[in-house]
Amino acid sequence: MVRSKMTLRTAAAAATLALVTGCGGGDGAGGTGGTIVVGMRSDFGGFNPITSDALYSMELMNYALFTPLIQYDENLQPRPWLAESWQEEGDTAVVFRLRRDVTWHDGQRVTAEDVKFTFDRAKLPESASLVGSAFLSNVESATVVDSFTIRFDYAMPHAQALEDFWWAPAPKHLLEGIAPADMRNAPYNRAPVGSGPYRLTAWEANRQLVIEPYEQFPQSLGGPPSARRIVFRIIPEASTLLTELMTGGVHVDIPVMPDQVNQVQEGASTNLLSFPGRTVYFIGWNNQRAPFDDARVRRGLALALDRQEIIDALLYGQGQVATSTVPPWHPLYPENTEPLAHDPAAAAALLEEAGWTDANGDGIRDKDGQPLEFELLVSDDALRRAVAEVVQAQLREVGARANIRVTEFQTMLAAHRGRDFDAVFTNWVLDNFQVASAPNALLHSSQADIENSANRSSVRIPELDALMERASVASDPEAARQAWGEFTRVVQQEQPMTFMFWLNELAGVRDDVGGVEMDPRGEFQTIRDWSLGR
């Protein structure tokens, strides 16, 4: 069933849970909002608007450390931010006028030259920029009109064009001397000079990261934030993190695991936040490696998976089966698209058609003397490990052997990014609310040969390319919905990656923390308003 945009807005608003500032707490360290401790499961991945592509790094950049051109309001509509206004010129260009009072944390003013520099670097293939692939694929050029005015011209008309600009400029004066190919590993990324309401003041890898208010953040954007300091503690074990939340060692727990929901809800001083997520979990098959270079094998393995069983048993119902990168709450979610059914018999038939039979009777299919066996990469997260183990068991039922390899998250990400994997269970977050961004980055052939690009499965399916291009330029909602419907059907047929489920986002917050609101815009979207009661 297709939901209207108003339904989406209403759902998002209803899902938002605002916590009222309580009494007590505070650390006596001065300032108006105390020191807030956030417990997180894994470390951040670096902060560079051109090259960063990890979820929490991007959200912390967009809401705390940097100042994007636009932000989203509570109705998920673009609103002015660094760009105080804009003027669309037909459906082929937009002119942004920037605020004049936003400065880098070293005191230099943010100008249109920074915006153009970021755009130009992001568009270079050697930068392997998520901003370039996910946001700017339809934007052809940027022209500085004056120091605070910049014009973008599109390669072709396309729908929801303003949403191409939910990204922050990087400082030209600090980064222009770095070669594009070296940008991802630049020292700057771990000691960024940003432009947002918070500045990064300390970072001890895999232990903690500290941000403090930038006192010169302009009053026109709300001024310096409330909290004196926010400390992000890295606590990989979910049970340890929950204990820290319950005992007050951390004030915010991101994320709460589905099996911890009751404990957080029933805690005397804790609150649960649950809201629609932009995160889709999937199994990425390496389309360049056998046996995953054969669509029949990919589809056969997908048919062997009972995703609803996984949602019920491991997510405690906190999720929905995924059909593609289009989330079920989106207005363009295609009608009459049923998830691929769990059908072991059909799976077996497809694998046999692809030449995989159990010739020696050991329960594992083989072909040309090689067993149907592969490595399933997963990060060291309890939920992901549990899902991987169920996937392993379900695949075993159709004669495929998945050997699970568990690694620390950044190690997993490096292997995935470097295409050094057979199959990986991981997730992807919609970069904004424009449904065209995710599939283009993940699945378009133009990204397949770019080192470090998001198309880590090396997907090359011309039919999908054509459908993504058709859907992304469709300004008529019905035409776009139809195109995304065809796209979804091809994804399910080809299974370049198997989309597993959309997981509700869950977080725990102690009741002495005020100003915390979370919704599909992300966990940190009100971070500048967080404070401890005193």
Side-chain angles (χ1 to χ4, degrees):
M1 172 179 172
V2 176
R3 299 178 179 178
S4 69
K5 200 157 193 173
M6 182 59 71
T7 301
L8 166 63
R9 295 173 183 176
T10 304
T16 300
L17 176 59
L19 300 180
V20 178
T21 302
C23 299
D27 64 349
T32 60
T35 294
I36 298 171
V37 180
V38 181
M40 301 191 67
R41 305 278 302 286
S42 60
D43 203 355
F44 294 93
F47 302 98
N48 184 325
I50 298 171
T51 58
S52 293
D53 56 9
L55 166 63
Y56 292 129
S57 294
M58 296 187 70
E59 291 199 355
L60 200 64
M61 286 195 301
N62 278 349
Y63 293 122
L65 299 177
F66 289 81
T67 306
L69 287 164
I70 66 164
Q71 286 287 12
Y72 288 93
D73 66 16
E74 65 276 14
N75 294 318
L76 308 182
Q77 297 300 303
R79 60 169 171 158
W81 204 241
L82 175 63
E84 64 179 358
S85 66
W86 54 76
Q87 181 174 352
E88 294 187 76
E89 298 188 355
D91 53 7
T92 59
V94 60
V95 177
F96 289 106
R97 292 178 178 78
L98 308 184
R99 297 182 189 279
R100 297 168 181 260
D101 54 358
V102 178
T103 59
W104 297 107
H105 295 163
D106 61 7
Q108 293 210 30
R109 202 175 297 273
V110 179
T111 72
E113 292 290 349
D114 295 308
V115 179
K116 177 172 171 52
F117 167 76
T118 305
F119 171 86
D120 289 343
R121 284 299 179 90
K123 291 286 284 186
L124 292 174
E126 52 266 46
S127 295
S129 171
L130 181 64
V131 168
S133 61
F135 288 80
L136 299 175
S137 59
N138 286 318
V139 186
E140 188 170 59
S141 63
T143 304
V144 173
V145 178
D146 59 43
S147 294
F148 298 99
T149 308
I150 187 164
R151 172 192 174 97
F152 292 96
D153 286 278
Y154 311 142
M156 60 186 74
H158 67 108
Q160 299 177 287
L162 278 177
E163 298 188 6
D164 289 342
F165 302 100
W166 192 41
W167 47 270
K172 177 182 177 181
H173 65 289
L174 297 176
L175 295 174
E176 62 182 340
I178 299 174
D182 297 333
M183 188 73 77
R184 182 172 292 278
N185 298 313
Y188 169 90
N189 304 352
R190 297 194 67 81
V193 174
S195 59
Y198 280 101
R199 58 192 178 90
L200 193 154
T201 58
W203 189 359
E204 188 176 348
N206 295 314
R207 185 169 180 273
Q208 71 173 18
L209 180 147
V210 181
I211 61 175
E212 297 180 2
Y214 177 53
E215 299 298 338
Q216 284 70 50
F217 194 66
Q219 292 296 329
S220 61
L221 292 176
S226 300
R228 173 181 170 81
R229 182 183 298 113
I230 297 182
V231 178
F232 297 87
R233 288 179 55 198
I234 310 306
I235 305 173
E237 283 295 327
S239 58
T240 304
L241 180 51
L242 178 63
T243 299
E244 292 277 7
L245 176 72
M246 304 304 285
T247 58
V250 303
H251 301 100
V252 182
D253 173 351
I254 300 174
V256 164
M257 305 309 293
D259 64 349
Q260 298 173 333
V261 163
N262 289 342
Q263 289 172 269
V264 176
Q265 284 179 319
E266 295 168 1
S269 303
T270 56
N271 300 275
L272 178 76
L273 281 71
S274 174
F275 51 97
R278 293 184 287 128
T279 303
V280 62
Y281 286 76
F282 65 88
I283 297 175
W285 314 111
N286 191 331
N287 285 223
Q288 281 192 317
R289 291 186 184 178
F292 308 118
D293 54 353
D294 187 333
R296 294 171 298 182
V297 173
R298 300 191 301 262
R299 183 176 169 86
L301 297 182
L303 285 164
L305 299 176
D306 189 342
R307 292 170 289 175
Q308 189 59 53
E309 180 183 65
I310 292 173
I311 292 171
D312 293 341
L314 300 180
L315 307 187
Y316 294 77
Q318 298 276 350
Q320 290 181 267
V321 174
T323 55
S324 73
T325 55
V326 183
W329 46 260
H330 198 279
L332 296 182
Y333 187 76
E335 269 186 289
N336 304 320
T337 300
E338 293 297 326
L340 201 65
H342 173 225
D343 191 339
L350 264 178
L351 293 173
E352 289 178 12
E353 181 183 318
W356 293 93
T357 59
D358 185 7
N360 59 13
D362 68 350
I364 300 299
R365 296 175 184 273
D366 49 81
K367 179 180 179 181
D368 301 329
Q370 297 298 315
L372 184 51
E373 180 176 12
F374 60 92
E375 185 176 87
L376 178 60
L377 181 64
V378 63
S379 67
D380 56 351
D381 170 287
L383 176 61
R384 295 181 194 219
R385 290 200 308 266
V387 172
E389 288 168 1
V390 173
V391 166
Q392 180 185 51
Q394 292 179 345
L395 294 182
R396 183 67 177 76
E397 292 296 314
V398 298
R401 178 184 289 137
N403 301 313
I404 298 171
R405 180 163 74 97
V406 180
T407 73
E408 182 273 333
F409 175 77
Q410 292 297 337
T411 303
M412 183 280 294
L413 185 61
H416 191 201
R417 188 180 284 151
R419 275 81 158 170
D420 184 20
F421 70 99
D422 297 328
V424 59
F425 176 62
T426 186
N427 65 281
W428 182 262
V429 183
L430 293 183
D431 304 297
N432 55 17
F433 307 102
Q434 179 184 19
V435 295
S437 62
N440 190 73
L442 289 170
L443 300 167
H444 200 283
S445 299
S446 64
Q447 304 297 313
D449 294 323
I450 297 177
E451 187 177 357
N452 290 321
S453 80
N455 186 350
R456 297 162 190 158
S457 287
S458 301
V459 179
R460 295 181 183 81
I461 302 176
E463 188 178 6
L464 277 182
D465 293 345
L467 286 167
M468 285 185 276
E469 291 162 6
R470 190 178 112 201
S472 64
V473 302
S475 54
D476 175 67
E478 192 51 46
R481 185 177 298 113
Q482 182 179 358
W484 288 121
E486 292 180 40
F487 161 82
T488 300
R489 283 187 282 277
V490 174
V491 166
Q492 297 211 86
Q493 178 66 34
E494 293 286 332
Q495 293 291 318
M497 48 184 59
T498 294
F499 292 97
M500 298 288 287
F501 50 79
W502 297 88
L503 177 65
N504 291 350
E505 301 295 341
L506 304 166
V509 182
R510 292 190 64 83
D511 59 12
D512 56 353
V513 184
V516 180
E517 297 181 7
M518 299 181 184
D519 62 26
R521 290 175 291 176
E523 282 80 352
F524 301 139
Q525 58 104 356
T526 63
I527 193 169
R528 63 173 311 284
D529 299 323
W530 293 7
S531 65
L532 279 182
R534 300 182 66 83

